């Protein structure tokens, strides 16, 4: 199990102080079976408050609060690099005739990570599409060489493997387009949106907790992404004490998708990956999360890089009830395993959440809940790589992942 050292060191802190009621704007729930009973835990989007006093020059409006001058300069450099990379990847996307509704790039091929050399890693892409079977049919006709033997079986077989195995993503790795080596994953828009809102697998939702580069925009994704980031902050708050640094917060957030991932156990990922990501991309994390932090009334900046959360059990419980059903259900299960008396039934939600947040080891329980969400989809998605990529490419991919950090 990969646990963030920062979170682990502070699990023992106990909730002691009070906060005001959370003032969030509720988003429409995507829950199917539990909607009537769980209205108290609908997905909530935070109000991102924009200071009315900040009506100065455009340059001031573009600045991110709580960044030092050095970080502002670094962020400007990163954004310039983003624009350049976006231009290159736009030419890659134009090589696909099949319609791509939403697309983003992520990983070390787009954003520098500490501890790595100057070698150019493969660029990771995600394509959100409306109808995967139709999309694969068009793409196989245009780019048969992108697919393993699965392409011979046809689009229906590819779509079946995509939807029924792993986290609902079908990857084609080591594809060179216009001189750029990419690994592109195809996912249905409904699967992607549901993971962002409900944390079904945290496979893509977790990747989107870190900085990503949007290449094709979609209105639904804009809302879903904001909800997902808010979920991430709230989950991290369960693992952190009253006072902590912004870097500690981002370390907790960045570690969520690696918790329970089998690759961290067998050496398929750099054990320092979370630290490397946050260290190199700290200005991007601040830019990404500052508005969410300022929009949550139970969390505030008390210094340049220092945050404080209100920790009254009733208000922490209220925050917990805004988390996705899947996370809440896993938390209940782990809480009962830890010996906490948690009665069944939706009418017991208020009591159960208050009991959970009052225990000293709520951080450990929350981490185990996240682990239980991540573990199985991450394992089966990795195994699916043998089908979608073929054995040769799968072995090459794992070798490249290991060599990337062992040689640097």
């Amino acid at each position: 199990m990969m646990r963030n050292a920062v979170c682990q060191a502070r699990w023992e802190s106990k909730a002691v102080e009070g906060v005001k009621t959370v003032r969030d704007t509720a988003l429409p729930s995507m829950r199917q079976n539990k909607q009537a009973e769980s209205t108290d835990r609908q997905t909530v989007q935070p109000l991102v408050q924009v200071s009315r006093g900040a009506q100065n020059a455009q340059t001031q409006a573009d600045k991110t609060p709580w960044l030092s001058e050095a970080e502002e300069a670094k962020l400007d450099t990163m954004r310039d690099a983003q624009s350049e990379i976006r231009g290159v990847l736009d030419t890659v996307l134009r090589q696909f005739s099949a319609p791509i509704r939403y697309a983003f790039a992520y990983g070390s091929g787009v954003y520098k990570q500490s501890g790595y050399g100057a070698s150019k890693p493969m660029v990771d892409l995600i394509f959100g599409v409306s109808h995967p079977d139709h999309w694969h049919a068009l793409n196989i006709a245009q780019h048969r060489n992108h697919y393993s033997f699965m392409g011979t079986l046809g689009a229906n077989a590819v779509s079946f493997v995509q939807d029924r195995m792993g986290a609902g993503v079908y990857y084609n790795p080591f594809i060179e387009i216009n001189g750029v080596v990419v690994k592109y994953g195809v996912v249905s828009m409904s699967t992607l949106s549901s993971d962002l809102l409900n944390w079904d697998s945290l496979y893509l939702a977790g990747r989107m907790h870190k900085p990503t580069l949007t290449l094709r925009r979609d209105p639904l994704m804009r809302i879903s992404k904001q909800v997902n980031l808010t979920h991430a902050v709230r989950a991290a708050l369960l693992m952190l004490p009253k006072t902590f640094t912004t870097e500690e917060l981002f370390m907790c957030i960045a570690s969520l998708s690696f918790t329970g991932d089998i690759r961290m156990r067998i050496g398929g990922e750099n054990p320092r990956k979370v630290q490397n990501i946050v260290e190199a991309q700290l200005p991007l994390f601040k830019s990404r999360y500052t508005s969410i932090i300022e929009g949550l009334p139970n969390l505030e900046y008390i210094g340049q890089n220092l945050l404080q959360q209100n920790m009254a059990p009733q208000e922490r419980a209220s925050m917990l009830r805004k988390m996705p059903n899947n996370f809440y259900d896993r938390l209940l299960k782990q809480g009962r395993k830890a010996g906490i008396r948690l009665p069944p039934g939706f009418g017991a939600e208020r009591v159960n959440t208050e009991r959970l947040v009052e225990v000293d080891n709520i951080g450990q329980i929350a981490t185990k809940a996240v682990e239980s969400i991540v573990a199985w989809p991450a394992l089966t998605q990795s195994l699916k790589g043998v089908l979608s990529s073929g054995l040769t490419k799968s072995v090459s991919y794992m070798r490249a992942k290991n060599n990337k950090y062992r040689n640097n």
Side-chain angles (χ1 to χ4, degrees):
M1 181 194 309
M2 191 273 185
R3 291 195 181 95
N4 186 325
V6 174
C7 296
Q8 202 170 20
R10 298 198 171 191
W11 277 332
E12 301 302 322
S13 68
K14 193 172 184 179
V16 293
E17 294 199 359
V19 291
K20 297 180 181 179
T21 303
V22 176
R23 305 184 300 273
D24 291 336
T25 303
L27 293 175
S29 172
M30 292 188 65
R31 304 178 177 90
Q32 298 175 356
N33 300 326
K34 303 179 181 179
Q35 188 173 11
E37 298 90 347
S38 61
T39 54
D40 196 29
R41 284 195 296 112
Q42 292 177 354
T43 302
V44 173
Q45 179 185 15
L47 289 173
V48 180
Q49 300 292 341
V50 179
S51 174
R52 294 183 179 177
Q55 297 176 350
N56 303 322
Q58 184 63 38
T59 53
Q60 284 287 56
D62 290 339
K63 286 186 177 296
T64 301
W66 310 113
L67 284 177
S68 66
E69 290 186 8
E71 287 174 329
E72 283 282 6
K74 186 176 181 180
L75 182 60
D76 289 340
T77 301
M78 288 177 166
R79 285 173 172 166
D80 290 340
Q82 284 178 343
S83 297
E84 183 178 345
I85 295 170
R86 183 181 287 110
V88 172
L89 296 180
D90 280 342
T91 67
V92 171
L93 264 62
R94 286 198 289 270
Q95 302 307 308
F96 291 87
S97 298
I100 300 170
R101 185 170 156 188
Y102 176 74
F104 68 90
Y106 68 96
S108 58
V110 180
Y111 296 107
K112 180 178 173 59
Q113 297 178 15
S114 299
Y116 296 137
S119 59
K120 255 190 152 179
M122 183 166 54
V123 176
D124 296 313
L125 301 172
I126 290 294
F127 298 162
V129 304
S130 297
H131 306 289
D133 51 350
H134 178 62
W135 196 94
H136 285 297
L138 295 174
N139 200 48
I140 289 172
Q142 183 187 13
H143 299 298
R144 172 60 186 87
N145 61 315
H146 289 188
Y147 291 80
S148 66
F149 70 93
M150 289 295 301
T152 304
L153 301 180
N156 288 337
V158 171
S159 183
F160 179 86
V161 170
Q162 174 180 320
D163 292 336
R164 301 299 179 89
M165 296 180 64
V169 189
Y170 190 96
Y171 281 106
N172 285 325
F174 295 107
I175 308 300
E176 185 172 349
I177 303 174
N178 290 352
V180 181
V181 179
V182 303
K183 177 184 75 173
Y184 66 89
V186 182
V187 62
S188 72
M189 291 293 288
S190 58
T191 296
L192 175 56
S193 181
S194 183
D195 194 33
L196 293 174
L197 295 174
N198 304 322
W199 282 15
D200 299 323
S201 68
L202 270 173
Y203 190 83
L204 292 178
R207 280 155 177 76
M208 295 176 75
H209 291 160
K210 277 82 77 176
T212 60
L213 181 63
T214 303
L215 304 173
R216 295 275 176 89
R217 300 186 181 279
D218 180 87
L220 174 62
M221 285 299 105
R222 183 177 181 180
I223 297 172
S224 300
K225 283 166 58 179
Q226 192 80 349
V227 173
N228 178 47
L229 297 182
T230 306
H231 288 334
V233 173
R234 287 173 172 150
L237 292 181
L238 292 173
M239 305 174 187
L240 290 164
K242 177 183 176 182
T243 303
F244 48 90
T245 66
T246 52
E247 186 170 356
E248 288 171 339
L249 172 65
F250 301 142
M251 289 279 283
C252 272
I253 291 172
S255 72
L256 293 175
S257 63
F258 295 108
T259 304
D261 192 334
I262 190 173
R263 295 175 302 169
M264 302 301 296
R265 300 179 181 180
I266 64 174
E269 280 287 4
N270 187 343
R272 286 176 49 87
K273 190 174 183 70
V274 172
Q275 184 174 345
N276 290 342
I277 290 172
V278 175
E279 283 180 353
Q281 303 171 26
L282 188 57
L284 288 170
F285 273 95
K286 287 186 176 182
S287 175
R288 193 175 187 82
Y289 283 98
T290 293
S291 63
I292 293 173
I293 292 170
E294 293 182 336
L296 291 174
N298 61 322
L299 183 62
E300 63 178 346
Y301 282 100
I302 58 173
Q304 178 74 15
N305 292 299
L306 197 61
L307 290 161
Q308 181 174 285
Q309 64 168 316
N310 291 303
M311 297 188 68
Q314 288 184 346
E315 301 304 334
R316 298 251 293 171
S318 177
M319 178 185 74
L320 176 55
R321 289 194 291 272
K322 294 179 175 67
M323 293 294 288
N325 271 342
N326 192 32
F327 175 80
Y328 172 74
D329 291 343
R330 306 294 181 113
L331 198 68
L332 282 183
K333 185 175 181 180
Q334 295 301 325
R336 291 182 179 118
K337 283 185 178 181
I340 305 172
R341 294 186 60 185
L342 302 170
F346 296 108
E349 280 187 343
R350 186 172 297 274
V351 172
N352 286 341
T353 52
E354 289 179 2
R355 288 181 180 178
L356 281 166
V357 298
E358 285 182 323
V359 299
D360 291 341
N361 62 334
I362 179 59
Q364 292 175 327
I365 294 172
T367 299
K368 288 182 179 295
V370 172
E371 178 183 339
S372 69
I373 295 173
V374 171
W376 180 248
L379 172 61
T380 52
Q381 185 69 39
S382 296
L383 296 175
K384 184 168 70 174
V386 178
L387 294 176
S388 62
S389 307
L391 182 59
T392 302
K393 283 188 176 181
S394 295
V395 172
S396 298
Y397 178 69
M398 291 303 298
R399 185 180 293 119
K401 293 283 283 186
N402 279 281
N403 290 340
K404 185 167 67 173
Y405 68 85
R406 286 180 178 174
N407 296 333
N408 292 285

